[in-house]
Amino acid sequence: MSSKNYAFFVSITAALGGFLFGFDTAVISGAERAIQEVWKLSDWMHGLAIASALYGTVIGALFGGVPADKFGRQKSLLWIGLFYLISAVGSGLAWDVTSFTVFRFLGGLGVGASSVVAPMYISEIAPAKNRGLLVALYQFNIVFGIVMAYVSNYLIGTAELAQDWRWMLAAEALPALIYSILIFRIPESPRWLIGIRNDEQQAREILTKTDPEGVDEAIRLALEEEKKMHQKGSFSAIFEKRFLPTTIMAIMIAFFNQVSGINAIIYFAPRVFEMAGISTESALISTIGIGVVNLLATFVGLYLIDRIGRKKLMYIGSVGYIISLSLMAYNFLGPGIPSFWLPIFVFGFIASHAVGQGAVIWVFISEMFPNDLRAYGQSIGSFTHWILAAIIANVFPFFANQFGPGYIFLFFAFMMILQLLWVKFKMPETKGRSLEEIHQNIH
């Protein structure tokens, strides 16, 4: 196998964690109503049971970097796969709401940890020239996993199976098992081996397979960085004065990702369409369109990220956000716009996200930190992303009902103007540079 093909195989294997991430997040949509009926749950208990995975995601994101640093990236990816597997089987066999909540929480831990470990692992093993594409495969797999969860739910839901909701949840066990087996075929991260284990020989053997032209330079820069650090990774270290600008950048890109309103739109699209006067059937069809547009636009982002760079994609996405969100707001607040335009504006918003923030966020965070701090930096970025996702998902229905969606979309559009300014004045370009070169220029 050529070095290019081997690097792709290793990266796509790790990125399959994103597929399970997307599948696990979306699959519950087909089962949640049946779960409430089967166990006669109150609205509060039903919400808690369904949200348990999200709470697990927040915790998994915050602490996922700790085992990745202590035991290695490859072993952590294996445990993530096993968490997904146990969660899928357990959720499908759950005997009461408590067991269901525990197993879904476990899957959430896998989702959160995956958003930390998988992008970080790929960034550490990928050649600089196509690192953006390879890390962005993680985001593509998230989107693909969401689409496949909807397809799986549809196929199972129309197969007239008894207790079909259990089969919907258990379906994730098959890709989780395949993923866990494939993890045995990928090597440890060479930069973890150098930075944490001081194992230059094994790191060189791995880099020879993935990036033979850049082996010597990668080893030299990694060793130089290790000498300059004089410390091991920790959460406190990323908030030290010399690393604080990098930490703030990771937090800010995650912050802007969520205050774009992306999860509010994805979670509540049918409700938003119906508030605009679109029929329930048309709203559901439009929601399927969101998944298709998201997938296609993600392809565009993957194609462009190593060609024009991260910063230009963020420019394109930011301008697209501002235009589409403003049009969505005007659709609700302005006079005389037919409601059938709203799905078109939403599709423009989704495309802007997929090409910009969706393609860039996991790549950018994984590139920003020195080897010894990357696990903790990735954790703080992912934690920011997930805690804001939870907050916005919780408050959006209330504010939309109180003030109307139009004013909420205006707020999101204003935040994207701030993102555009942040991209212009604060965000560095990282395209085509080694991880160590990026850190040298920042610190």
Side-chain angles (χ1 to χ4, degrees):
M1 187 183 297
S2 68
S3 60
K4 182 178 180 180
N5 290 340
Y6 184 69
F8 181 81
F9 167 75
V10 170
S11 299
I12 194 66
T13 298
L16 286 174
F19 177 89
L20 294 168
F21 170 157
F23 197 101
D24 191 89
T25 302
V27 73
I28 192 66
S29 64
E32 57 95 4
R33 291 179 185 174
I35 288 167
Q36 186 171 23
E37 293 174 3
V38 167
W39 289 317
K40 305 294 189 293
L41 303 179
S42 67
D43 288 341
W44 185 87
M45 193 63 208
H46 179 236
L48 178 63
I50 301 305
S52 59
L54 191 57
Y55 296 131
T57 297
V58 171
I59 295 173
L62 183 60
F63 296 106
V66 176
D69 239 19
K70 185 174 179 61
F71 303 111
R73 310 335 189 195
Q74 190 257 4
K75 288 186 177 66
S76 296
L77 288 172
L78 175 61
W79 277 104
I80 288 168
L82 294 176
F83 275 25
Y84 280 128
L85 178 60
I86 295 169
S87 173
V89 174
S91 298
L93 297 175
W95 49 94
D96 57 19
V97 67
T98 301
S99 60
F100 172 81
T101 301
V102 169
F103 284 120
R104 285 295 293 168
F105 179 83
L106 190 62
L109 290 177
V111 170
S114 172
S115 68
V116 173
V117 183
M120 173 173 62
Y121 171 84
I122 299 169
S123 74
E124 291 180 340
I125 206 164
K129 61 185 178 182
N130 56 358
R131 184 175 60 244
L133 167 64
L134 295 179
V135 178
L137 286 172
Y138 181 76
Q139 174 66 19
F140 168 78
N141 272 279
I142 294 174
V143 176
F144 185 50
I146 291 171
V147 173
M148 291 308 297
Y150 290 146
V151 172
S152 173
N153 283 351
Y154 173 78
L155 293 175
I156 293 172
T158 55
E160 299 183 359
L161 298 171
Q163 295 188 304
D164 56 1
W165 65 272
R166 292 186 181 275
W167 291 99
M168 290 178 184
L169 296 172
E172 186 184 349
L174 179 59
L177 178 61
I178 294 171
Y179 173 72
S180 301
I181 293 171
L182 286 174
I183 291 298
F184 284 104
R185 297 195 60 193
I186 66 174
E188 185 51 81
S189 159
R191 285 179 168 85
W192 180 81
L193 289 168
I194 292 174
I196 306 299
R197 287 296 173 89
N198 297 314
D199 191 344
E200 179 184 342
Q201 181 179 352
Q202 189 177 351
R204 183 179 293 275
E205 291 174 0
I206 295 167
L207 285 169
T208 301
K209 295 179 181 178
T210 60
D211 186 21
E213 297 176 2
V215 174
D216 293 333
E217 182 71 0
I219 295 290
R220 181 183 68 80
L221 290 171
L223 290 173
E224 285 182 4
E225 180 179 281
E226 183 65 19
K227 291 177 182 178
K228 292 177 182 178
M229 286 292 294
H230 301 299
Q231 65 185 101
K232 295 300 180 184
S234 65
F235 281 114
S236 61
I238 64 176
F239 289 100
E240 290 181 4
K241 185 177 180 180
R242 61 174 171 152
F243 300 119
L244 189 58
T246 302
T247 303
I248 291 174
M249 278 192 282
I251 291 172
M252 290 307 294
I253 195 169
F255 170 81
F256 283 124
N257 183 284
Q258 287 303 306
V259 297
S260 69
I262 181 61
N263 276 339
I265 297 298
I266 288 178
Y267 293 162
F268 300 108
R271 180 191 300 234
V272 170
F273 291 146
E274 289 171 15
M275 292 176 80
I278 298 173
S279 69
T280 301
E281 183 179 352
S282 296
L284 291 174
I285 293 173
S286 297
T287 304
I288 294 172
I290 287 176
V292 174
V293 170
N294 200 2
L295 188 64
L296 294 177
T298 299
F299 273 118
V300 176
L302 290 178
Y303 178 79
L304 293 175
I305 193 165
D306 282 321
R307 287 173 169 81
I308 68 173
R310 290 61 159 150
K311 194 162 183 172
K312 288 182 180 177
L313 284 186
M314 289 292 288
Y315 277 133
I316 294 169
S318 297
V319 172
Y321 273 144
I322 294 166
I323 293 172
S324 58
L325 284 165
S326 298
L327 289 171
M328 288 159 63
Y330 190 69
N331 191 273
F332 282 95
L333 302 175
I337 297 182
S339 60
F340 70 79
W341 281 100
L342 182 60
I344 297 173
F345 300 152
V346 172
F347 293 164
F349 169 83
I350 293 295
S352 300
H353 172 80
V355 170
Q357 268 274 9
V360 173
I361 178 173
W362 304 116
V363 177
F364 186 74
I365 295 175
S366 71
E367 294 175 324
M368 298 310 297
F369 292 90
N371 295 330
D372 285 359
L373 301 183
R374 187 169 297 112
Y376 299 91
Q378 189 84 24
S379 283
I380 205 67
S382 296
F383 172 76
T384 303
H385 173 278
W386 285 114
I387 195 69
L388 284 172
I391 292 171
I392 290 173
N394 278 323
V395 303
F396 179 80
F398 171 80
F399 283 105
N401 288 326
Q402 286 290 110
F403 304 106
Y407 290 107
I408 308 301
F409 295 144
L410 277 181
F411 168 77
F412 290 147
F414 173 73
M415 297 307 295
M416 291 303 93
I417 293 173
L418 297 183
Q419 174 179 270
L420 183 61
L421 295 173
W422 177 78
V423 171
K424 179 174 176 56
F425 295 109
K426 292 295 184 180
M427 181 180 177
E429 181 55 77
T430 57
K431 175 177 75 80
R433 295 153 64 187
S434 73
L435 295 176
E436 291 75 21
E437 288 172 330
I438 294 170
H439 313 146
Q440 288 172 8
N441 289 335
I442 293 176
H443 303 302

